């Protein structure tokens, strides 16, 4: 459990980091918090020839409000978000509360928002939140800057739209989601979720007028579930009956993997329970 | 819990004194194997088999030796070492000895089996070296289950073991047992399987071997529970006289049994170090610890029990099959699990008729070693399920049926020929029930049932044989027979003492608890007592620590040696105080006249005479202050016991089993240090819960282990383990020096049964019963019948 030899480079700024990765070629990788990449290297499952360490790019570590928008710098750690004051996440409490589902405290003090998005795990909280809240992923590369809508960012199993030399600099959540929640189930606290469910409800006068449902653990990418969202758009009363129906609809709509590990039926059962639970929590928020 | 310091009657024994080990452990001054760095030291790792079964057709290490930093690489042929072979003194019809080569020669029998050892300048280069090894195989069909192992014409894991059976014993077979079953008004059966587990000490295995040119000795610093046994096997495999090998054990971070057997890596590292003439370190990485170390616990029970109308058990009939993996561990052999289960299954109950068949099969999976509890977590679980099932059939309460069957008069000689010394079997169950009743859990259960929620309450009752002596172990018929322990004690001129023990603490606080025993015997302050262990040059041959033998046997030996030293102090003191020997006593670090407490001599005064002014000694006393004593277990040993009570809630949406309450009522006789006892119970219960709900090593169809990290091997964390309350009862043992009974394994033994019973109690409305462990949320949800179907 020791990595093969690799070159180590420390970047001074974003432009330098992307230029260096571009120059070093496809075997070079950005190193942020290292909570996924380094274990993979230790198991020799990932073998980058070069690491370009961006951890000291302080300008990428921030949590900022800009009118209705929430900007999270790519190097902001999960723990920094988890411990953010109320005023800076007002309306985006779901983002802060979701952080407690990520691994354990030591992991959260090192792992970063951008690193998690770039890794593209379909059960990762940041990926689910980004898709749920229509976030914009802002990147930099030697070819300039671009904005990737989160809904288009995740292509497949641990695969994103990012080019090898393209660095996430921030993720922007465009508008508050006061009635949103993320919940998960795993056998142990801190494990990767077997199934994760994130819900964002539009609530008016005790009725649900719209909503988004995103699932992790049922597909290679974070999955939006239009069949479940349709139930949330009918102006029904916001109650347990509606939320249970939403859970059932989501469970019916997905085609989760059948092992190894938890089977497809079990994942579907979890979808049913967790979507309903996330709806309850979103309403109560 | 009692406060630290003396007990009310002024003794160290019985007091929760702070552990002498903790200051160094908590301030980074402890030294584990991995903390040892020697000049010119190389790092070793092993080229391991990538196939589960097959012949090795070639091993090419030439490219390995070219890797930068690699210094040497050796195959089995290069090192030419003797095999490790565990032998039982039983006929071939009952036991088949099989050899475990230090490095695989021509055949591999599990994924992860060591084939070659690579040495390099650092821990990174050595792994680069492993990748450059080229091994080719003629892969065979792996045998991975009971069905595959016992199928007619199955491939053989060891050619000498026909049918892949290493041990097959049928025992007891009470006359007329079939008639009892035929005539009984109630017969229940249980088929249960338990998952393969890893004992998982936080500190993985490891060793540093070096040649001490001055002493002409091979120094092996390793984390083992059995230093002398390792020395014996090392010397044998290397073909060296045993006096030229010294095994030293530094601080240890757990063992739980997998370090009470001899690891082939320990031997290979020592041999490689001798070959290259440089110190060599091997630290097992977590991946190897999870996949290629010693595992345990994969068993299958088919059991029946007959009961009369009143719920009294009439007969027990069991077929026990243990999947011991690829090799027989030394010194216990592959018989360890089935022999334990067969001999002890009736446990705390009055079982008048008994028949058992116990088998060990060999498969192409990592081998097994004793793991805390050895078979008892499994057979207790099966026994407790049998009683629960009979209670349901007969309309009795689960606690009531146990009350009617527990052994209550002692000594009791069971149908299995074992004599049980006094315990608190009934009292502990009654107290466990009272705790849960008084806390209102039964009311809570009724209340939640009304809301459609699933709360369950479960119990387990068990005993734990501890203090196996040579006679008791001889019944296992191992070729080497553990049992006794020897202690040597020495007081020096400072008036402090060092006592040796042949047992080996790997976390159990022997330096504290044994010192408490010595301090009481000699009237010494605890700070003036030191325990020496884990060094074959400094400690007389001992059997190490396993089978909850340390306090019962090692502690008794230490106490006896201290008593003899005390006699000598009294003898010299009386002489110097010019009084009769029966007019002096040991107290407060002094020899005092009984009839005049103002007349006394400190131990420093006496030591000065014993060492520096020997001409003042009585004529019949040798100079110096030393004594030696040995102790061997008596009869069938001494049985500690406990009852556990557990409350769980099953969550309808996810199948999660949440443990709401865990109460343990334990009786280990005299608790030398109650806080240490509670630590043992809590840690054991955590491992028992792990087996009941979380952990399992599985393999794919090719025999590839599926859990190579903690992502997949689901050891529970502090978040999953509930608060555990521990209640003490005390039935002193007549067979040990301080009335203590062993307590190392109890928690692990009782937890799976209690948790399983609680889960099944909660499942009662569904009509489903779960008898196999681990009980995953997926299986619970299936039982709750809320599984989503698209039909």
């Amino acid at each position: 459990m020791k990595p093969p030899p690799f070159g180590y480079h420390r970047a001074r700024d974003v432009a330098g980091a992307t230029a260096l990765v571009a120059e070093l070629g496809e075997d070079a990788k950005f190193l942020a918090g290292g909570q996924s990449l380094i274990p993979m290297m230790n198991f020799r499952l990932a073998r980058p020839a070069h690491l370009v360490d961006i951890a000291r790019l302080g300008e990428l570590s921030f949590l900022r409000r800009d009118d209705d928008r929430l900007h999270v710098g790519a190097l902001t750690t999960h723990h920094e978000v988890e411990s953010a004051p109320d005023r800076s996440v007002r309306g985006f409490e779901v983002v802060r509360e979701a952080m407690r589902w990520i691994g354990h405290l030591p992991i959260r003090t090192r792992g970063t928002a951008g690193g998690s998005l770039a890794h593209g795990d379909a059960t990762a909280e940041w990926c689910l939140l980004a898709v749920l809240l229509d976030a914009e992923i802002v990147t930099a590369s030697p070819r300039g800057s671009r904005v990737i809508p989160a809904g288009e960012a995740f292509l497949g199993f641990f695969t994103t739209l990012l080019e090898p030399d393209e660095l996430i600099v921030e993720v922007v959540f465009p508008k508050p989601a006061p009635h949103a929640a993320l919940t998960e189930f795993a056998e142990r606290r801190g494990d990767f979720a077997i199934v994760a469910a994130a819900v964002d409800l539009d609530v008016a006068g005790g009725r649900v007028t719209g909503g988004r449902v995103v699932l992790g653990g049922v597909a290679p990418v974070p999955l939006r579930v239009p069949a479940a969202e349709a139930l949330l758009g009918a102006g029904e009363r916001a109650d347990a009956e509606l939320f249970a129906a939403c859970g059932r609809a989501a469970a019916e709509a997905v085609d989760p993997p059948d092992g190894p590990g938890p089977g497809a039926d079990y994942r579907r059962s979890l979808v049913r329970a967790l979507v309903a639970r996330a709806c309850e929590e979103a309403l109560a928020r | 819990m009692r406060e630290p310091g003396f007990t009310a009657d002024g003794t160290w024994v019985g007091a929760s004194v702070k552990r002498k080990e903790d200051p160094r452990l908590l301030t980074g001054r402890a030294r584990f194997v991995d903390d040892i760095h020697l000049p010119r030291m190389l790092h070793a790792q092993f080229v391991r088999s990538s196939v589960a079964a097959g012949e090795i057709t070639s091993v090419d290490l030439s490219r390995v030796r070219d890797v930068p930093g690699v210094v040497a690489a050796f195959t089995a042929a290069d090192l030419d070492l003797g095999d490790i072979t565990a032998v039982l003194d039983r006929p071939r019809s009952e036991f088949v000895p099989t050899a475990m080569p230090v490095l695989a020669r021509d055949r591999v029998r599990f994924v992860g089996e060591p084939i070659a050892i690579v040495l390099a300048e650092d821990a990174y280069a050595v792994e680069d070296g492993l990748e450059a090894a080229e091994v080719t195989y003629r892969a065979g069909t792996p045998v991975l289950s009971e069905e595959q192992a016992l199928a007619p014409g199955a491939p053989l894991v060891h050619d000498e073991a026909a049918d892949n059976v290493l041990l097959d014993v049928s025992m007891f077979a009470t006359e007329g047992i079939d008639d009892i079953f035929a005539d009984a008004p109630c017969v229940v059966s249980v088929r249960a399987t338990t998952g393969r587990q890893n004992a998982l000490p936080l500190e993985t295995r490891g060793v540093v071997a070096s040649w001490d040119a001055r002493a002409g000795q091979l120094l092996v610093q390793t984390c083992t529970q059995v230093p002398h046994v390792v020395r014996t096997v090392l010397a044998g495999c290397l073909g060296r006289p045993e006096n030229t090998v010294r095994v030293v054990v530094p601080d240890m971070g757990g063992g739980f049994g997998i370090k009470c057997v001899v690891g082939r890596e320990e031997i290979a590292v020592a041999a490689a170090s001798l070959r290259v003439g440089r110190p060599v370190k091997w630290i097992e990485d977590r991946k190897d610890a999870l996949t290629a170390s010693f595992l345990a616990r994969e068993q299958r029970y088919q059991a029946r029990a007959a009961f009369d109308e009143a719920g009294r058990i009439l007969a027990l009939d069991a077929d026990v099959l243990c999947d011991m993996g690829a090799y027989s561990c030394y010194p216990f052999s592959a018989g360890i699990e089935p022999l334990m289960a067969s001999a002890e299954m009736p446990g705390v109950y009055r079982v008048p008729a008994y028949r058992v068949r116990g088998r060990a099969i060999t498969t192409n999976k990592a081998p097994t070693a004793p793991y805390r509890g050895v078979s008892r977590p499994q057979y207790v679980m099966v026994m407790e399920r049998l009683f629960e099932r009979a209670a349901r059939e007969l309309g009795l309460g689960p606690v009531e049926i146990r009350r009617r069957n527990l052994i209550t008069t002692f000594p009791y000689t069971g149908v299995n020929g074992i004599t049980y010394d006094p315990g608190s079997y009934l009292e502990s169950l009654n107290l466990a029930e009272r705790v849960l009743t008084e806390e209102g859990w039964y009311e809570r259960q009724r209340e939640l049932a009304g809301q459609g929620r699933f709360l369950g309450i479960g119990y387990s009752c068990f005993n734990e044989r501890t203090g196996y002596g040579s006679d008791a172990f001889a019944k296992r018929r191992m070729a080497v027979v553990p049992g006794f322990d020897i202690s040597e004690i020495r007081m020096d001129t400072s008036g402090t003492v060092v006592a040796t023990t042949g047992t080996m603490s790997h976390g159990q606080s022997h330096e504290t608890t044994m010192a408490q025993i010595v301090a009481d015997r000699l009237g010494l302050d605890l700070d003036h007592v030191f325990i020496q262990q884990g060094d074959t040059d400094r400690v007389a041959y001992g059997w190490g620590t396993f089978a909850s033998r340390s306090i019962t046997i090692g502690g008794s030996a230490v106490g006896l040696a201290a008593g003899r030293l005390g006699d000598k102090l009294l003898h010299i003191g009386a002489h110097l105080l010019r009084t009769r020997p029966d007019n002096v006593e040991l107290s407060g670090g002094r020899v005092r006249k009984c009839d005049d407490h103002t007349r006394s001599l400190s131990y420093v005064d006496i030591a000065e005479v014993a060492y520096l002014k020997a001409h003042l000694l009585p004529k019949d006393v040798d100079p110096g202050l030393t004594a030696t004593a040995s102790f061997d277990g008596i009869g069938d040993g001494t049985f500690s016991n406990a009852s556990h009570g557990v409350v769980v809630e099953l969550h309808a949406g996810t199948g999660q089993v949440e443990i709401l309450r865990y109460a343990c009522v334990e009786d280990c006789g005299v608790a030398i240090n109650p806080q240490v006892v509670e630590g043992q119970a809590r840690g054991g219960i955590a491992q028992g819960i792990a087996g009941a709900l979380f952990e399992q090593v599985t393999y794919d169809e090719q025999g590839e282990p599926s859990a190579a990290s903690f992502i997949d091997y689901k050891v529970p964390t502090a978040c999953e383990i509930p608060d555990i309350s521990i209640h003490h009862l005390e039935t002193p043992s007549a067979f040990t020096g301080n009335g203590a009974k062993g307590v190392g394994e109890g928690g692990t033994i009782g937890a799976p049964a209690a948790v399983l019973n609680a889960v099944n109690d909660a499942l009662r409305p569904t009509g489903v019963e779960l008898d196999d462990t681990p009980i995953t949320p997926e299986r619970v949800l299936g039982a709750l019948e809320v599984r989503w179907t698209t039909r």
Side-chain angles (χ1 to χ4, degrees):
Chain A
M1 293 175 66
K2 298 280 185 284
F6 59 89
Y8 174 85
H9 313 262
R10 182 180 295 154
R12 287 206 185 80
D13 51 43
V14 170
T18 57
L20 187 55
V21 169
E23 178 195 325
L24 293 169
E26 292 223 353
D27 286 340
K29 282 218 171 285
F30 297 110
L31 173 66
Q35 297 303 292
S36 300
L37 179 57
I38 298 295
M40 287 168 66
M41 290 168 63
N42 285 346
F43 274 100
R44 300 193 174 217
L45 297 171
R47 316 175 68 100
H50 298 275
L51 291 183
V52 176
D53 188 350
I54 57 166
R56 302 208 182 174
L57 304 186
E59 69 268 30
L60 297 186
S61 178
F62 57 83
L63 193 67
R64 195 174 64 228
R65 288 304 287 270
D66 157 23
D67 297 330
D68 267 358
R69 296 153 70 86
L70 176 70
H71 299 253
V72 182
L75 282 183
T76 312
T77 66
H78 314 313
H79 184 61
E80 284 164 349
V81 178
E82 180 182 24
S83 48
D86 289 345
R87 61 186 153 69
S88 59
V89 294
R90 192 155 293 135
F92 294 97
E93 286 85 357
V94 61
V95 176
R96 180 177 66 184
E97 303 309 318
M99 295 299 106
R100 68 192 172 89
W101 290 104
I102 303 178
H104 304 98
L105 182 62
I107 292 171
R108 296 198 290 272
T109 61
R110 298 284 303 175
T112 65
S116 179
L117 288 165
H119 188 52
D121 185 324
T123 64
E125 294 74 9
W126 279 109
C127 299
L128 291 168
L129 289 168
V131 173
L132 181 76
L133 303 180
D134 287 329
E136 294 164 349
I137 298 169
V138 183
T139 71
S141 77
R143 295 165 300 286
S145 179
R146 70 166 165 162
V147 174
I148 304 174
E152 298 166 19
F154 305 104
L155 303 181
F157 192 64
F158 292 103
T159 310
T160 68
L161 199 62
L162 293 170
E163 299 291 335
D165 59 354
E166 188 173 15
L167 179 66
I168 297 177
V169 292
E170 67 171 320
V171 55
V172 183
F173 296 96
K175 66 177 175 49
H179 293 293
L182 181 150
T183 191
E184 302 183 357
F185 183 73
E187 286 185 51
R188 295 172 302 185
R189 186 84 205 166
D191 273 1
F192 294 110
I194 299 171
V195 168
V199 168
D200 178 20
L201 301 180
D202 305 326
V203 183
R207 293 188 177 271
V208 180
T209 57
R212 280 147 302 282
V213 176
V214 178
L215 297 173
V218 299
V221 294
L223 192 72
R224 274 189 73 164
V225 193
E229 292 176 358
L231 286 180
L232 298 174
E236 302 269 353
R237 187 195 301 277
D239 60 13
E241 200 180 322
L242 171 65
F243 298 154
C246 185
R248 282 195 300 273
E252 241 173 85
V254 296
D255 182 19
D258 195 13
D265 284 347
Y266 181 57
R267 286 178 199 267
R268 232 179 252 123
S269 296
L270 287 179
V271 167
R272 188 169 59 152
L274 295 175
V275 167
R277 182 187 298 173
C279 288
E280 303 273 5
E281 289 178 8
L283 182 70
R285 180 153 279 144
Chain B
M1 198 182 76
R2 279 174 262 195
E3 288 302 307
F6 284 117
T7 58
D9 53 355
T11 62
W12 293 106
V13 167
S16 288
V17 297
K18 288 184 177 172
R19 304 194 331 148
K20 286 165 79 86
E21 295 89 341
D22 281 342
R24 71 170 187 271
L25 290 169
L26 296 176
T27 59
R29 284 179 288 131
R31 187 171 68 245
F32 297 90
V33 170
D34 198 25
D35 295 320
I36 297 169
H37 304 279
L38 299 178
R40 302 181 67 242
M41 186 175 79
L42 299 173
H43 296 256
Q45 288 297 343
F46 292 85
V47 176
R48 294 178 181 278
S49 177
S50 60
V51 304
E55 285 165 39
I56 299 173
T57 47
S58 70
V59 182
D60 182 355
L61 302 180
S62 54
R63 284 186 49 242
V64 176
R65 298 184 180 106
D66 293 339
V67 169
V70 169
V71 172
F74 301 114
T75 62
D78 296 329
L79 294 180
D80 190 27
L81 298 166
D83 293 342
I84 305 170
T85 308
V87 175
L88 295 183
D89 184 17
R90 289 179 178 272
R92 286 289 288 227
S93 58
E94 290 188 353
F95 176 77
V96 182
T98 50
M100 177 163 70
V102 172
L103 295 171
R105 291 198 190 84
D106 44 6
R107 266 179 87 169
V108 286
R109 295 185 171 88
F110 68 96
V111 172
E113 177 157 16
I115 293 171
I117 181 170
V118 178
L119 311 181
E121 297 286 355
D122 64 62
Y124 295 79
V126 73
E127 293 199 24
D128 299 340
L130 298 186
E131 290 193 324
E134 288 173 23
V135 184
T136 57
Y137 310 89
R138 188 175 306 117
T141 307
V143 172
L144 298 166
S145 65
E146 174 189 348
E147 291 69 31
Q148 290 173 8
L150 300 182
L156 296 184
V157 179
H158 294 271
D159 292 340
E160 56 271 42
D163 309 330
N164 293 312
V165 174
L166 296 181
L167 178 116
D168 188 348
V169 293
S170 293
M171 292 160 82
F172 310 114
T174 311
E175 203 178 321
I177 190 169
D178 288 316
D179 294 336
I180 298 173
F181 274 102
D183 298 340
C186 170
V187 175
V188 293
S189 65
V190 166
R191 188 185 192 283
T193 61
T194 57
R196 199 172 193 82
Q197 276 184 269
N198 192 309
L200 210 70
L202 187 59
E203 179 199 30
T204 59
R205 298 182 299 154
V207 55
V208 175
S210 56
W211 177 251
D212 181 341
R214 179 173 173 275
Q217 259 187 335
L218 174 67
L219 174 63
V220 178
Q221 302 184 78
T222 184
C223 52
T224 180
Q225 301 168 226
V226 290
H228 282 95
V229 177
V230 168
R231 185 185 71 179
T232 299
V233 175
L234 256 170
C237 288
L238 296 171
R240 306 183 63 85
E242 202 163 334
N243 67 306
T244 67
V245 179
R246 178 182 182 187
V247 174
V248 173
V249 183
D251 284 307
M252 281 178 72
F256 310 115
I258 67 161
K259 295 178 186 170
C260 78
V261 299
V262 179
R264 51 214 297 193
E265 290 91 347
E266 291 169 310
I267 313 291
V269 167
S273 170
L274 290 176
R275 275 293 287 271
V276 297
R278 292 175 67 172
V280 176
K281 173 191 273 189
W282 170 64
I283 299 296
E284 180 179 51
D285 69 24
R286 188 60 72 184
K287 175 170 173 278
D288 289 344
L290 284 168
T291 57
S293 180
F294 292 98
L295 304 172
R297 299 249 202 275
E298 185 171 8
Q299 302 188 353
R300 188 273 296 146
Y301 287 74
Q302 184 73 53
R304 289 190 304 154
F307 289 83
D308 68 14
E309 292 91 346
R312 282 184 295 263
I313 189 167
L314 302 172
L316 171 67
D317 188 7
D319 183 292
V320 185
L321 188 126
C322 306
D323 183 340
M324 304 306 285
Y327 290 102
S328 209
C329 65
Y330 187 93
F332 301 98
S333 89
I336 176 112
E337 286 193 1
L339 288 173
M340 174 72 89
S342 301
E344 316 246 349
M345 188 163 176
V348 289
Y349 298 108
R350 294 190 305 267
V351 177
Y354 179 40
R355 176 170 61 199
V356 65
R357 182 183 188 190
R359 278 176 288 175
I361 59 166
T362 178
T363 56
N364 293 112
K365 301 188 244 186
T368 48
Y371 171 21
R372 200 176 198 175
V374 183
S375 285
R376 288 170 286 195
Q378 288 81 20
Y379 76 66
V380 166
M381 192 181 98
V382 172
M383 285 297 285
E384 297 293 296
R385 293 299 304 140
L386 287 168
F387 277 98
E388 293 270 326
R389 202 153 282 170
R392 285 194 194 190
E393 291 236 343
L394 294 164
L396 286 170
V399 176
E400 180 56 28
I401 195 170
R402 289 181 171 84
R403 277 196 197 106
R404 294 181 186 186
N405 286 285
L406 286 168
I407 300 167
T408 51
T409 52
F410 299 95
Y412 175 88
T413 300
V415 66
N416 50 356
I418 294 172
T419 299
Y420 299 86
D421 63 334
S424 53
Y425 300 175
L426 182 60
E427 296 82 351
S428 64
L429 175 62
N430 287 341
L431 180 53
E433 185 191 33
R434 205 174 78 211
V435 167
L436 297 187
T437 304
E438 288 178 357
E439 290 177 1
W441 289 106
Y442 285 96
E443 286 154 38
R444 182 89 181 126
Q445 185 178 32
R446 282 190 293 274
E447 192 183 308
L448 290 190
Q451 303 168 21
R453 286 166 66 179
F454 301 91
L455 197 88
I457 299 171
Y459 295 92
S460 68
C461 302
F462 64 93
N463 57 17
E464 173 192 358
R465 173 148 46 154
T466 74
Y468 284 83
S470 304
D471 288 344
F473 263 121
K475 291 182 182 165
R476 291 261 183 89
R477 302 196 218 162
M478 287 152 63
V480 295
V481 181
F484 65 85
D485 199 59
I486 299 168
S487 176
E488 296 167 329
I489 191 166
R490 186 176 67 241
M491 180 176 280
D492 69 15
T493 51
S494 67
T496 63
V497 298
V498 176
T500 70
T501 177
T503 64
M504 184 64 237
S505 176
H506 38 291
Q508 300 93 332
S509 328
H510 295 174
E511 287 171 56
T512 306
T513 52
M514 295 207 186
Q516 288 177 262
I517 293 170
V518 171
D520 272 357
R521 287 284 201 287
L522 292 175
L524 261 178
D525 193 89
L526 202 61
D527 290 342
H528 292 168
V529 183
F530 303 90
I531 301 298
Q532 171 83 55
Q533 60 189 339
D535 186 335
T536 57
D537 270 15
R538 293 191 183 179
V539 177
Y541 205 105
W543 289 101
T545 288
F546 53 86
S548 301
R549 67 186 299 279
S550 297
I551 278 296
T552 50
I553 295 181
S556 296
V558 162
L560 286 174
R564 286 184 186 167
L565 176 61
D567 290 344
K568 188 164 185 181
L569 289 167
L570 287 168
H571 191 87
I572 299 170
H575 176 77
L576 296 174
L577 290 165
R578 301 179 191 287
T579 186
R580 302 183 317 276
D582 62 355
N583 189 36
V584 284
E585 62 187 14
L586 305 177
S587 174
R590 306 180 79 83
V591 179
R592 237 186 263 275
K593 280 183 78 173
C594 297
D595 61 0
D596 180 2
H597 278 192
T598 63
R599 297 286 317 284
S600 68
L601 288 169
S602 73
Y603 293 166
V604 176
D605 298 334
I606 292 176
E608 186 180 337
V609 170
Y611 289 105
L612 307 180
K613 297 175 180 170
H615 63 288
L616 299 179
L617 286 169
K619 294 295 169 232
D620 58 344
V621 170
D622 293 332
L625 291 170
T626 61
T628 299
S630 71
F631 184 84
D632 202 341
I634 296 165
D636 287 332
T638 186
F639 288 76
S640 55
N641 68 273
S643 294
H644 292 192
V646 179
V647 183
V648 302
E649 182 172 6
L650 313 181
H651 291 283
T654 59
Q656 184 191 356
V657 178
E658 184 182 1
I659 299 177
L660 304 176
R661 184 74 177 93
Y662 203 114
C664 162
V665 181
E666 68 79 32
D667 185 344
C668 65
V670 173
I672 306 294
N673 183 324
Q675 189 173 26
V676 167
V677 168
E678 293 187 6
Q680 287 292 312
R682 286 207 173 83
I685 288 167
Q687 287 183 312
I689 291 171
L693 298 179
F694 294 97
E695 296 179 2
Q696 185 171 20
V697 176
T698 57
Y699 294 82
D700 71 11
E701 309 85 68
Q702 280 76 47
E704 178 79 27
S706 55
S709 79
F710 288 144
I711 290 176
D712 298 305
Y713 190 73
K714 299 204 177 292
V715 56
T717 70
C719 300
E720 284 71 48
I721 301 301
D723 279 343
I724 297 161
S725 72
I726 296 170
H727 310 261
H728 298 282
L729 297 175
E730 185 176 299
T731 310
S733 172
F735 296 159
T736 62
N738 283 280
K741 301 171 175 180
V743 73
E745 303 172 83
T748 322
I749 297 169
V755 171
L756 202 60
N757 284 337
V759 169
N760 280 299
D761 187 47
L763 285 174
R764 203 178 273 253
T766 69
V768 177
E769 292 184 55
L770 299 176
D771 292 325
D772 299 332
T773 56
I775 314 166
T776 59
E778 185 170 8
R779 293 181 51 223
V780 172
L781 198 63
L784 290 173
E785 297 182 328
V786 295
R787 171 167 294 200
W788 181 254
T789 57
T790 49
R791 281 192 293 272

